[in-house]
Amino acid sequence: MPLEIAGRAVGRIGYGTMQLAGPKAMGGPADPERAKAAVRAAAGAGIRLIDTSGYYGPEVANRLLAEALRPYPDDLLIATKVGARRTPDGGFAADAAPEAVKAAVRDNLAQLGVERLPLVHARFMPDSTVPWADTVGALAELRDEGLLEHVGVSNVTVDLLNQARAVTPIASVENEYHFGHTGGRDVLDATTAAGIPYLAYRPLGNGALAGAGSPLAEPARQLGVSAATLALAWLLGLADNVAVIPGTSNPAHLADLLAAQDLTLPSGFVPDEA
Ligand SMILES: NC(=O)c1ccc[n+]([C@@H]2O[C@H](COP(=O)([O-])OP(=O)(O)OC[C@H]3O[C@@H](n4cnc5c(N)ncnc54)[C@H](OP(=O)(O)O)[C@@H]3O)[C@@H](O)[C@H]2O)c1
C-alpha cells in the first residue's frame, strides 16, 4: 500500500542518496557514472521517495541526483534536509539560524534544478544555539513564499516534534530507526497517533544489518529472504505510517530492498531487537 507523504502517494521503500557522496558522504564517489546509474536504477524500479541533502558531499549527492534524473518523473518526491553543515573532519555541525536555513533551501533548489522543493526537513542538531522554533519557522516562511511545499523535521524527540507542530503543520518526521537502533520509539508512536509519515533513516544500520554478519541473517534464512529484506520488512511492520530510505550504490541490491514491501512477517515472527 502506498503511503501519502507531502501530498504524494509514494511506495514505502524509498532511497537515500548519502552513500552517493563518497566515503563519509564527503568529496564525491570514486565512480560518478556508477552513482548515477544507481539512482536511475532506483527510479526505474519504481522508487518514488528519494531522500537527499545539500550537505551530502556537500552538493555532490544533489548534483548527481539532478544529472541522473532530470527531468524528474512527475510523481517523484524528493525530500531534502537543512540545518546542518559538514565540518572538515567529516562530521556535522549545526547551521540552523534562520538566514542559514533559508540560504540552504536556495542552494538545494539550485543544485536540484527545481523551482520549488516538495518537502524540506529541518534537521535538529544538539549543538545548535538557535531556538528550534526559529529554525522551523524559517522553513514555514519559505513555504508561505512558495519556495517549498511542506515542512518536515528530522532527529527529533517528542518534545521537539511538539514544539515544531506548534509553529507549523509538520508533514513528516525523519529519524534513525532500525533493528539495531530502537531508541526513540516514543517518537514513532507519536507520529503514528498523529497520522504523520515517519521516514526511518539508516534502516540497514549503515549496512550492518544487511551483510553475512547481520543479526538477522539466520531468521532471514528461515524465511528464505535476505537479511536486508527482513530488516526493512521488520520496520514496515512496526506501523503503517513508516517508510524506509535505505541507501545503495549497487543496482543489484535494489531487488532485495523492494522485496520488503511484499514480505509480511509470519504472526509471532518478531526477532529480538539487537
Ligand atoms: N536525517 C538524517 O540525519 C540522516 C542521517 C543519516 C542517513 N540519513 C538517510 O538515510 C539514508 C540511508 O542511510 P545509510 O546509507 O547511512 O545506511 P543504510 O541505508 O542503513 O545502509 C546502507 C548500506 O547498506 C548496504 N546495502 C544496501 N542494500 C543492500 C543489500 N541489499 N545487501 C547488502 N548490503 C546492502 C549499502 O552498500 P551498497 O552500496 O554496496 O549496496 C550501504 O553500505 C541516507 O542515504 C540518508 O538519505 C538521514
Side-chain angles (χ1 to χ4, degrees):
M1 281 285 287
L3 177 63
E4 185 164 316
I5 306 175
R8 283 118 169 123
V10 295
R12 296 173 70 198
I13 311 286
Y15 179 88
T17 66
M18 193 174 84
Q19 304 278 343
L20 301 182
K24 289 190 168 184
M26 281 186 83
D31 184 347
E33 290 309 316
R34 186 168 185 266
K36 283 188 268 185
V39 179
R40 286 196 192 101
I47 288 176
R48 286 296 178 268
L49 166 62
I50 295 186
D51 181 69
T52 189
S53 177
Y55 54 68
Y56 293 159
E59 298 192 17
V60 174
N62 276 355
R63 294 198 185 285
L64 286 171
L65 185 54
E67 286 172 27
L69 294 187
R70 279 187 78 205
Y72 301 108
D74 287 343
D75 54 353
L76 182 72
L77 172 58
I78 297 179
T80 187
K81 295 179 283 297
V82 297
R85 63 177 170 79
R86 301 312 303 259
T87 54
D89 63 356
F92 291 95
D95 201 14
E99 317 79 59
V101 160
K102 290 182 177 183
V105 166
R106 292 193 169 86
D107 289 346
N108 273 272
L109 286 165
Q111 293 154 13
L112 291 167
V114 295
E115 293 182 355
R116 196 150 72 135
L117 295 165
L119 174 60
V120 182
H121 292 98
R123 175 181 164 157
F124 177 75
M125 295 291 292
D127 63 327
S128 175
T129 55
V130 178
W132 175 234
D134 292 357
T135 302
V136 175
L139 289 187
E141 285 178 21
L142 291 189
R143 183 205 48 226
D144 295 345
E145 290 170 23
L147 269 64
L148 58 99
E149 289 178 44
H150 295 273
V151 178
V153 288
S154 180
N155 292 291
V156 290
T157 60
V158 170
D159 182 46
L160 289 166
L161 172 60
N162 288 337
Q163 288 182 42
R165 293 183 74 198
V167 174
T168 191
I170 295 300
S172 62
V173 168
E174 181 177 314
N175 270 13
E176 181 170 9
Y177 207 93
H178 52 77
F179 188 73
H181 180 102
T182 54
R185 175 69 201 231
D186 56 338
V187 182
L188 169 53
D189 291 341
T191 61
T192 306
I196 298 172
Y198 181 98
L199 278 54
Y201 82 66
R202 205 169 282 153
L204 302 173
N206 200 226
L209 298 173
S214 166
L216 293 171
E218 178 52 25
R221 192 193 60 75
Q222 288 171 25
L223 289 172
V225 300
S226 75
T229 301
L230 178 55
L232 300 188
W234 179 84
L235 275 166
L236 297 182
L238 294 177
D240 289 345
N241 65 319
V242 173
V244 294
I245 46 171
T248 181
S249 53
N250 183 350
H253 281 163
L254 283 168
D256 265 1
L257 305 181
L258 287 162
Q261 60 199 348
D262 300 319
L263 176 65
T264 304
L265 297 185
S267 169
F269 188 91
V270 181
D272 291 335
E273 290 160 12

